[in-house]
Structures are given as C-alpha cells and as structure tokens.
Amino acid sequence: MEVIDLRSDTVTKPTDEMRKAMAAAEVGDDVYGEDPTVRKLETIAAEMVGKEAALFVTSGTMGNQVAAMTHLARGEEVILEAESHMFYYEVGGLALLAGAQTRTIQGEKGFMPPELIAQAIREENIHFPRTGLLCLENTHNRAGGTVLTPEQISAMAQVAHDRGIPVHLDGARIFNAATALGIDVRELTAPVDSVMFCLSKGLGAPVGSMLAGRKEFIEKARKNRKVLGGGLRQAGILAAAGIIALEKMVGRLAEDHYRARLLAENLANIPGLTIDPAAFPTNILICSVAKLGISAQHFSTLLARHGILANPTSPTEIRFVTHKDVTEDQIKRAINNINQVVKGVNHF
Ligand code: TLP
C-alpha cells in the first residue's frame, strides 16, 4: 500500500544532490573550528538572515534551548506564547536547561498583543524574578503554520527592547513565513536579537538547524552547545546538505503551500470535517473532526489503515503537513482516501 506521510515536514529525505555533496564534503574537527563546510554553512546562514554570526546545531530544539541558556540567567522569567513550541514541545527544557520560569500569554495566531507583553514584564521588586527574554514563533506551529508580519514582530519586540529585554525568534519555518509574505526573510529577523531556523524540515536536509545572532552571542552559544554535547566533529558531512537546503530548497516552498491549499479546500468540502482554508497560509493545516463524533486519535488510526499518516494535535483536531516528498498527485489520492475514511465512519 502506498503511504502518504503528512505527519510533518520533518520526515523529508535528503535529495540526491545533498547525498552527493555529503559524500564529497571537505571536513575537519568542528570543535577546533576546523571544518570548512560547517564554517561555510554558518557564514551563508548568518548572511541570509542578516545576522553577524551563526551556529550549526543538531536540532531546532537544541537551537532554541541554547538560545535560552545564552540569553537567560538562572531563575529569570521568559515570556512566550501559550501554544509555542518552546513551551509546549521542548520537554520542559526551559526549566531543566536554562533554569527559567515561563510566563505564557495566549496569543492569536502566534501574535501576542504588545500591551499584554508589557503587562507581563516584571517591575523591579524583591519578590519578583527578572524578565530575561521574550520568545516569538514564526511560522506558528500549533496555530497551523500562521505567519507573523514584520510589523507584528517589530511591535512585540519593541516592548521588550524598551525595557532592555532581548528577543529570540523560533523561526523553525521562517522561510515558509517569508515565502507566504513574498518578502526577504531579513525583514522578519531584523527586529529580533537571535533566530533559530531549521534545515531539516521543509528544506529537506537530513539533520540540523541554525542559531544566528550577534558575534558575542554566538560565541557564548557555542559554549552552551558544547555543554549539551552538541560540539560536533566532522559535521561538514551534515553541513554540506544544509548548504544545499539554503541555496536550492527555499525557492520551492511555495509548492508546499499550494498543495496545502489544495488539500485544505478539498477537506473543507468533506461533510464531517471542519477547516477554514484561508486560516492556513503555509504548509500546515489543522482540521477538526469533532462533527464526526470520533476522537482525532481514532481518526488518525483509521487514516493510517488507508495509507495516510497524520498526527492529532488535540482530542478533536488533526494536523496535515505538506512537504517536498508529497506530490500533487499524492495530495489528490490523499483527498480521496480521507473521503473514503469519513464515509466509513458513519452517515457521512
Ligand atoms: N516541530 C515538530 C514537532 O516537534 C512538533 C513538528 O513535527 O512540527 N520550533 C518549531 C516551531 C517546530 O515546529 C519544531 C519541530 C521545533 C522548533 C523543533 O525542531 P526539532 O524537531 O528539530 O527539534
């Protein structure tokens, strides 16, 4: 049976060009700063997001956590959106690794009203922790790949900067955001102090993410990466694929968005499923199965029997993610199979 994997863009496999570049990569010991391919990737990455320096890390989670460890002193408070990846999906790393206390704000599609951020920032008081960091996420995963505009990012960052608080951007899918807006990614990264973005999601590299920021910040971050066991040796093998991800794969993300739109519009026509296609501007869709009268987990199991893989994100919602390894034809077959599953559930 053909399997169409819509669980995540993390499932993408490296391209042939990446595999060839990996095999041919010039390497050295990166802990000594001697891997030319890693250095090249870090230079390209920093340039692309308009920052002084960048650091290759093994995963998005590591990039975010290293950023938090580098910005924060232990016992400080970090402000972040209530559904953000750093709060929701990073295994409590902010508490465990950065020793930080979290203060969440319920946002709207990832946007936190600046006045709520201002209210959450702590005054000086002997009882209070110091607010040490504001984190943003673009695109916002749990909101369904929603996009923050440069104006929204600036408005949020400004409130923190006015009080001397740095801003970190979880930009795991920042190139999806820039693609959806039709702007240079630097417009989205200029207002923040540090940004993490992933090579191994829609961009197709097998492993790795980048953390970018000012030179001194990245030097400190390099040491924090080492603490976590992330000081890699001949990592040029991985960086070689990352370079292709940045140079060749950004331009095709619009295809993933187009396919997500096609899928969303068709799901919207299936009675029993609820989705507003206009709410999902990039490659992530969240669809409610509440009207079907079965749990999202059960629906996911039924889909898997028809070769469609998709993850539940709540008891009533299921997430579909498009990516380079799912063709337009496969999306059409997925629509057909999803329809069959819904018809099988009951009167739908
Ligand atoms: N997200 C994964 C899962 O962890 C949920 C996915 O399948 O979407 N920031 C954001 C916004 C992310 O979506 C992710 C991964 C990360 C950070 C972490 O990246 P990795 O998986 O490389 O640690």
Side-chain angles (χ1 to χ4, degrees), residues 283-299:
N283 67 327
I284 301 179
L285 307 176
I286 313 274
C287 177
S288 170
V289 299
K291 284 200 218 145
L292 281 182
I294 61 171
S295 71
Q297 182 57 61
H298 186 187
F299 190 63

Side-chain angles (χ1 to χ4, degrees), residues 132-143:
L133 183 65
L134 170 68
C135 293
L136 313 177
E137 183 174 317
N138 198 18
T139 66
H140 193 287
N141 183 343
R142 285 187 58 79

Side-chain angles (χ1 to χ4, degrees), residues 7-11 57-64 83-86 88-90 136-142 170-173 196 198-201 207-209 284 311 313 319 321:
R7 286 173 301 169
S8 183
D9 45 12
T10 59
V11 303
V57 288
T58 57
S59 66
T61 302
M62 184 187 272
N64 282 335
E83 300 281 321
S84 63
H85 194 278
M86 289 181 75
Y88 204 97
Y89 288 126
E90 297 192 7
L136 313 177
E137 183 174 317
N138 198 18
T139 66
H140 193 287
N141 183 343
R142 285 187 58 79
D170 174 349
R173 297 182 181 83
M196 183 286 291
C198 294
L199 306 170
S200 71
K201 294 195 166 58
V207 177
S209 294
I284 301 179
N311 284 333
T313 52
R319 181 182 84 154
V321 184

Side-chain angles (χ1 to χ4, degrees), residues 22-326:
M22 292 170 81
E26 238 189 281
V27 295
D29 190 327
D30 184 48
V31 172
Y32 294 117
E34 290 172 4
D35 189 303
T37 312
V38 173
R39 281 194 193 165
K40 184 174 168 195
L41 171 64
E42 290 179 343
T43 305
I44 293 170
E47 220 269 318
M48 274 179 93
V49 295
K51 298 293 175 202
E52 285 175 9
L55 181 70
F56 180 62
V57 288
T58 57
S59 66
T61 302
M62 184 187 272
N64 282 335
Q65 294 301 323
V66 164
M69 288 166 74
T70 309
H71 283 299
L72 291 159
R74 297 185 72 76
E76 288 189 341
E77 196 163 66
V78 47
I79 298 176
L80 69 181
E81 206 278 326
E83 300 281 321
S84 63
H85 194 278
M86 289 181 75
F87 179 68
Y88 204 97
Y89 288 126
E90 297 192 7
V91 210
L94 288 169
L96 183 72
L97 302 168
Q101 171 164 294
T102 50
R103 177 98 178 249
T104 56
I105 294 176
Q106 189 64 54
E108 171 68 20
K109 298 182 176 178
F111 179 68
M112 294 175 274
E115 56 278 14
L116 295 189
I117 297 174
Q119 281 166 25
I121 295 174
R122 302 281 194 159
E123 301 295 338
E124 177 47 41
N125 181 306
I126 194 167
H127 301 91
F128 294 167
R130 186 181 166 272
T131 302
L133 183 65
L134 170 68
C135 293
L136 313 177
E137 183 174 317
N138 198 18
T139 66
H140 193 287
N141 183 343
R142 285 187 58 79
T146 54
V147 171
L148 295 170
T149 62
E151 294 72 28
Q152 288 177 313
I153 295 175
S154 294
M156 290 187 280
Q158 187 66 50
V159 182
H161 286 155
D162 285 349
R163 306 279 290 272
I165 297 162
V167 181
H168 171 69
L169 174 63
D170 174 349
R173 297 182 181 83
I174 195 67
F175 291 104
N176 292 84
T179 300
L181 293 166
I183 59 173
D184 190 302
V185 73
R186 280 173 277 217
E187 290 192 47
L188 298 170
T189 52
V192 302
D193 302 278
S194 60
V195 54
M196 183 286 291
F197 57 96
C198 294
L199 306 170
S200 71
K201 294 195 166 58
L203 303 185
V207 177
S209 294
M210 305 304 302
L211 176 63
R214 295 190 78 86
K215 212 159 163 257
E216 318 85 75
F217 172 84
I218 292 299
E219 281 324 304
K220 260 179 90 182
R222 196 175 288 281
K223 206 150 175 173
N224 284 327
R225 181 187 70 170
K226 188 77 175 74
V227 178
L228 299 181
L232 300 177
R233 303 296 179 174
Q234 288 72 36
I237 298 275
L238 301 173
I243 292 170
I244 292 169
L246 290 180
E247 290 186 337
K248 306 267 178 82
M249 305 300 283
V250 174
R252 58 153 308 289
L253 291 174
E255 278 178 43
D256 298 343
H257 300 181
Y258 165 75
R259 285 176 200 151
R261 186 65 181 227
L262 180 68
L263 180 57
E265 280 167 358
N266 281 276
L267 293 178
N269 289 332
I270 300 179
L273 300 183
T274 312
I275 183 167
D276 171 11
F280 306 105
T282 60
N283 67 327
I284 301 179
L285 307 176
I286 313 274
C287 177
S288 170
V289 299
K291 284 200 218 145
L292 281 182
I294 61 171
S295 71
Q297 182 57 61
H298 186 187
F299 190 63
S300 162
T301 307
L302 296 176
L303 287 181
R305 285 190 204 141
H306 284 69
I308 309 297
L309 304 186
N311 284 333
T313 52
S314 81
T316 55
E317 289 166 309
I318 188 150
R319 181 182 84 154
F320 298 95
V321 184
T322 58
H323 53 78
K324 76 170 186 62
D325 295 340
V326 178

